[in-house]
Amino acid sequence: MDVSIVIVSYNVSDLLNDCIVSIKKETACKYEIMVVDNNSKDNSVEMLKTCHPNVRLIQNEANVGFAKANNQAFKEASGKYILMLNPDTVVLNKAVDKLVQFMDEHPDAGASGPKVLNPDMTLQ
């Protein structure tokens, strides 16, 4: 497994779906998607189970916050690398593959991050 992609989610079903669809469309390396749901009251969990049954879901009974939720996934991740994504992310231009390639080619690097764009495609 090249990368474990971790997404913490809370009441963002539509954004989360778009994020996962973009990962599947734009990523060729070996990956797993892990979603930690912080007790969403919308249809996030149902959407994941129906539309993305291959996503590893950690379902919290309370909103434990961003940091603790990420740590829950990190403990179970099986990827060589971990990529944290917010659920409003849309992966473009094979970005995950490029990050994995960069890390493989730079073994002294402890971390890497993608270019982040605004909705109008300007640099954030």
Side-chain angles (χ1 to χ4, degrees):
M1 182 78 56
D2 294 316
V3 61
S4 296
I5 302 170
V6 174
I7 306 166
V8 175
S9 175
Y10 181 69
N11 291 332
V12 288
S13 177
D14 291 341
L15 291 173
L16 180 60
N17 183 61
D18 291 345
C19 178
I20 294 169
V21 168
S22 74
I23 293 167
K24 291 178 177 181
K25 179 181 174 193
E26 292 291 331
T27 308
C29 67
K30 293 180 182 174
Y31 66 90
E32 66 179 345
I33 301 172
M34 303 176 73
V35 172
V36 182
D37 184 81
N38 267 335
N39 199 28
S40 292
K41 302 301 182 200
D42 66 357
N43 70 329
S44 294
V45 170
E46 293 79 13
M47 180 276 297
L48 287 169
K49 290 178 178 179
T50 301
C51 300
H52 306 287
N54 58 336
V55 168
R56 291 179 60 188
L57 173 62
I58 299 171
Q59 234 177 306
N60 288 329
E61 293 181 10
N63 187 339
V64 299
F66 183 74
K68 185 172 183 177
N70 273 299
N71 286 331
Q72 288 176 285
F74 297 167
K75 289 177 187 174
E76 296 184 24
S78 59
K80 181 177 177 182
Y81 308 113
I82 295 176
L83 174 62
M84 297 166 50
L85 289 182
N86 288 326
D88 63 345
T89 301
V90 175
V91 175
L92 302 172
N93 302 320
K94 308 294 182 199
V96 175
D97 295 327
K98 291 174 184 176
L99 286 168
V100 168
Q101 180 180 357
F102 175 86
M103 293 301 293
D104 284 346
E105 292 173 355
H106 298 86
D108 292 338
S112 178
K115 184 189 301 185
V116 180
L117 303 175
N118 294 308
D120 67 357
M121 303 305 279
T122 57
L123 187 62
Q124 204 173 73

